[in-house]
Amino acid sequence: MALELNKLTDQVEAMGRALAQRQQEAEARIAEARRRLRDHGRVTAELLDRIAVARARDAWRRGATPLAGRLDLRLMPVHPPRPATLIAADGSQVYPDRHGLAPYFLVNTGAIILRQGSGEAPSVSSTPEIFFDTSDLYDEAGQMRDVEYVNAQRDRREIETLADLAEQERLRSDPQRPIITVTDGPLRPWTSQTDEREARRQIQHFGHQLRRLRAARAVPVGYVDRPDSGYVLRILELIGLPDEQITRAGLREGPFRYLTDRALFADLLPGQRTALFALEEEGANPAEDAGDGEDRIVFCYLNVAREAGEDRANIVRLELPAWAGQDEEALDCVHQAIYEDCRLIGYPYVLARAHELAVVGAAERADLERMVGQFMLRHGLLPHLSTKADSKRMI
Amino acid sequence: MITSPDGIESAGGVVGRVLRASTTRFTVGCQQPMAAAGSTLPAFGALVRAENADGSVTYGLVSNITVEDDPFVRQLVAAGVENEEYIADQRQRRQVPVVVDVLVVGWGNGPEIHHRLPPHPPGTLDRIYPCGPAEAVRFTGRHDWLRFVLAAADLPADALAVAALRGAAQARPPDQRQGYLISAGRELARLLAHDLTRLDGILQQIRNL
């Protein structure tokens, strides 16, 4: 056994103590944040001004702008429920392994179309794709592609799959039937932090797919489970803050740092959502180049729990494009459809299934390696692992 | 029909892979939808074969099939799943874990077939295939394999023998089936001469095939 647990006893004990203390302290600060939310819930021109100033003084601030007249709204759908078609896609990958038999990487995209209220079995698919071309495997400097690049390929295929399926589904379904696409995590894909040109390409691609979805009258939703964001807390920190204290250093030492909006809104009733906010993050407007602010990403928090009580709350963040958020009926439909799909497992069923369809397990990966080895042999190549990989197999 | 590399045809694709094995029994894990068209799940009593790394083949009869639950299914049941779409998905689309227990009844190497226990068990993760009619006819040409079935005290051995004989008869042309069952019945009478009640029970069921 490499990890000697007995040597960690004291450290784990200290960690438990620290966590309990941190929790107690966090509860007091959340109570203060809730007081501010209650007492200063109205969105004033002064507050909007402060948000703009804070954004200007700290461009990297992960903030949001309120889109409603109040910060503290708690909303239930007002429109009657309508059965929707939920389409989810999730990707899984095998990263390039320079110790493996051959240089390649794989992306497998799982997808499901669930037509609520139809009684039909959902349509499911998985699409594996193997990348072995030199241009796929190496960057312009001749370096083997990194994890970030493979993840970007996976994200591209997820959103492309959703757009393809939404277009097909729109053609086969009742024109009035709502179509909602769901991805796991933020709607906007993670973009390259090191290659600005690649990041721009990713955002442009994403913007194009969003426009395809909009043309198919499908609402794209990013479902963020257990969000760690503090967008609304960042707004609350600005309340009562003198202008001279709105500095980059001051903002980063805000009274609610390390807390989450999830804790702030843990008192939402089951099935309630908050008001809408617009993300102010870098790249949160994927259609910047087209000058179309309607593709800006907006979000709300939703309690997908079935039972009341803060200890049972399951607060998630739903992200969608502004054009969908502006349509109250579409927003209610998203709210109802996602809440309904979370009924069974506290997480969207369609996302759980898309993940299951995509995931490449250890046995399948071993099968793939074996298949690669067989085809290499067929073409006169002698497949062998690096000595390092070979030695690891013995452990 | 699917033909394996050694030229033996199968009734379908891979049943699954070996989870654990001994020279007398092995257990196969399958991942497939329960109600999908083209399912390769074998029936109780079906003859299957494991292809071993040394080129030999281990033959066995499916003696038990268990549909395992998993955390997903358990959660759905606990939450009171009612919507037809979710139920249909689980039954028709989702790959639920199915465990198939197999009683070893012989082995083969190339054209040879032996109705005795193999020298080695199948290996972990070896693929298991259902046997096609020609292979089933070849394996059941003699009746010695019935000994293993009747001796399996912890299994529903009589039901297994009947199911396996039904499969062996159906693998033959219609005009040969009755003759095959009569011949198998004689062998059973010889093997169970000391237990006429049991013999009678099995023969009654064979008569109704």
Side-chain angles (χ1 to χ4, degrees):
Chain A
M1 189 171 74
L3 181 62
E4 295 181 59
L5 289 172
N6 55 320
K7 292 183 178 172
L8 286 172
T9 316
D10 290 346
Q11 294 177 58
V12 173
E13 163 64 25
M15 188 172 84
R17 234 184 356 255
L19 284 173
Q21 197 181 345
R22 209 179 298 162
Q23 172 70 18
Q24 216 173 3
E25 187 216 5
E27 279 170 11
R29 289 196 295 143
I30 279 293
E32 169 55 23
R34 283 185 184 164
R35 256 193 304 278
R36 278 198 201 181
L37 186 65
R38 191 185 57 228
D39 298 344
H40 304 275
R42 200 161 67 84
V43 177
T44 60
E46 188 194 352
L47 179 63
L48 291 174
D49 197 40
R50 278 191 189 164
I51 292 169
V53 169
R55 171 83 178 143
R57 291 183 187 168
D58 186 0
W60 288 97
R61 183 176 163 84
R62 300 183 71 212
T65 303
L67 295 175
R70 294 196 65 86
L71 298 172
D72 58 351
L73 293 180
R74 274 137 166 75
L75 303 163
M76 294 296 272
V78 291
H79 295 90
R82 294 167 64 195
T85 295
L86 291 175
I87 307 177
D90 196 25
S92 176
Q93 67 290 312
V94 173
Y95 292 116
D97 179 5
R98 65 191 186 88
H99 295 285
L101 290 182
Y104 70 90
F105 66 89
L106 173 117
V107 172
N108 191 32
T109 311
I112 178 168
I113 305 175
L114 187 136
R115 302 167 188 96
Q116 291 182 323
S118 69
E120 292 172 24
S123 307
V124 297
S125 64
S126 70
T127 311
E129 203 178 342
I130 197 160
F131 297 80
F132 54 86
D133 277 347
T134 310
S135 59
D136 287 325
L137 288 172
Y138 301 96
D139 63 18
E140 283 148 14
Q143 295 292 311
M144 189 175 263
R145 299 287 192 186
D146 59 8
V147 166
E148 202 176 67
Y149 178 83
V150 176
N151 290 348
Q153 300 309 308
R154 181 200 61 208
D155 290 348
R156 282 173 85 103
R157 271 141 192 86
E158 280 179 14
I159 188 91
E160 276 175 12
T161 301
L162 289 174
D164 291 347
L165 294 177
E167 285 171 351
Q168 291 163 21
E169 194 62 17
R170 176 52 72 209
L171 290 176
R172 82 180 281 277
S173 70
D174 170 358
Q176 300 308 314
R177 188 177 173 87
I179 296 178
I180 298 163
T181 68
V182 196
T183 39
D184 183 27
L187 187 56
R188 180 175 70 93
W190 178 258
T191 50
S192 175
Q193 303 296 295
T194 50
D195 184 344
E196 205 176 306
R197 207 168 47 162
E198 177 61 23
R200 181 161 287 277
R201 268 201 298 265
Q202 287 168 353
I203 291 293
Q204 280 172 346
H205 175 267
F206 174 63
H208 174 63
Q209 302 307 319
L210 277 195
R211 285 188 286 280
R212 285 180 66 199
L213 286 161
R214 188 178 185 182
R217 280 177 291 120
V219 178
V221 176
Y223 181 96
V224 184
D225 189 56
R226 213 170 181 191
D228 275 337
S229 49
Y231 298 119
V232 180
L233 288 165
R234 297 291 84 77
I235 296 173
L236 295 178
E237 283 176 343
L238 296 173
I239 292 171
L241 192 67
D243 185 70
E244 63 276 11
Q245 284 184 30
I246 306 181
T247 62
R248 193 169 168 173
L251 290 171
R252 292 180 182 198
E253 296 295 316
F256 304 134
R257 69 192 166 134
Y258 307 136
L259 300 180
T260 61
D261 287 350
R262 177 161 50 94
L264 176 68
F265 290 119
D267 58 352
L268 285 173
L269 294 177
Q272 264 187 344
R273 72 170 189 259
T274 63
L276 275 186
F277 299 84
L279 274 181
E280 295 292 353
E281 280 185 282
E282 195 71 32
N285 182 358
E288 266 166 355
D289 296 336
D292 179 1
E294 291 199 327
D295 267 351
R296 159 174 286 210
I297 293 169
V298 302
F299 70 88
C300 63
Y301 292 99
L302 169 69
N303 183 3
V304 297
R306 310 308 293 191
E307 293 174 51
E310 283 199 33
D311 53 337
R312 294 180 182 273
N314 187 359
I315 308 296
V316 303
R317 192 172 77 237
L318 300 183
E319 294 188 356
L320 60 167
W323 51 262
Q326 285 158 6
D327 179 344
E328 285 288 334
E329 195 175 349
L331 185 58
D332 271 3
C333 185
V334 166
H335 178 153
Q336 284 158 342
I338 298 282
Y339 187 64
E340 182 57 30
D341 200 48
C342 289
R343 175 186 289 275
L344 293 170
I345 54 174
Y347 179 77
Y349 179 90
V350 288
L351 278 181
R353 286 286 284 119
H355 173 74
E356 194 177 49
L357 289 159
V359 73
V360 181
E364 291 156 318
R365 196 179 162 168
D367 277 350
L368 174 65
E369 273 288 281
R370 207 168 299 130
M371 194 196 280
V372 168
Q374 282 168 0
F375 280 87
M376 285 172 73
L377 276 174
R378 192 175 289 182
H379 291 279
L381 299 168
L382 193 61
H384 58 84
L385 295 167
S386 73
T387 43
K388 177 178 169 178
D390 218 18
S391 69
K392 279 188 174 178
R393 280 167 36 151
M394 289 181 238
I395 298 170
Chain B
M1 289 290 172
I2 290 172
T3 305
S4 69
D6 59 358
I8 299 170
E9 89 281 14
S10 294
V14 179
V15 170
R17 288 177 181 277
V18 172
L19 291 173
R20 52 186 174 273
S22 71
T23 46
T24 57
R25 310 269 173 103
F26 58 88
T27 300
V28 182
C30 316
Q31 287 271 316
Q32 53 193 296
M34 284 300 293
S39 168
T40 54
L41 258 192
F44 173 71
L47 185 67
V48 296
R49 70 166 194 278
E51 292 188 355
N52 307 318
D54 63 359
S56 66
V57 172
T58 305
Y59 289 102
L61 295 171
V62 173
S63 59
N64 191 39
I65 302 171
T66 311
V67 179
E68 299 271 291
D69 63 350
D70 65 10
F72 203 165
V73 172
R74 221 172 291 144
Q75 252 181 313
L76 297 185
V77 171
V81 59
E82 292 296 336
N83 289 16
E84 283 303 317
E85 304 93 71
Y86 298 117
I87 294 170
D89 183 44
Q90 293 291 322
R91 286 186 177 159
Q92 297 175 38
R93 304 281 191 259
R94 189 154 177 271
Q95 298 188 324
V96 294
V98 177
V99 173
V100 174
D101 294 312
V102 179
L103 175 73
V104 175
V105 288
W107 65 286
N109 203 348
E112 296 167 27
I113 281 184
H114 310 286
H115 287 174
R116 41 177 208 269
L117 294 180
H120 306 288
T124 306
L125 296 182
D126 275 356
R127 289 189 174 88
I128 305 300
Y129 297 89
C131 292
E135 193 174 9
V137 168
R138 204 155 68 91
F139 184 81
T140 56
R142 288 179 294 111
H143 304 300
D144 304 335
W145 56 275
L146 280 167
R147 282 175 185 276
F148 294 109
V149 181
L150 298 176
D154 57 333
L155 295 179
D158 298 0
L160 180 59
V162 172
L165 286 171
R166 183 194 295 126
Q170 281 172 351
R172 291 169 161 76
D175 61 332
Q176 293 177 20
R177 288 176 188 168
Q178 199 182 4
Y180 172 76
L181 289 173
I182 289 170
S183 155
R186 285 196 186 114
E187 177 68 7
L188 286 168
R190 202 173 65 78
L191 294 171
L192 292 175
H194 60 287
D195 190 345
L196 296 178
T197 312
R198 190 178 174 197
L199 173 65
D200 185 50
I202 297 177
L203 293 179
Q204 289 287 351
Q205 291 183 66
I206 290 178
R207 226 170 263 137
N208 297 329
L209 290 181

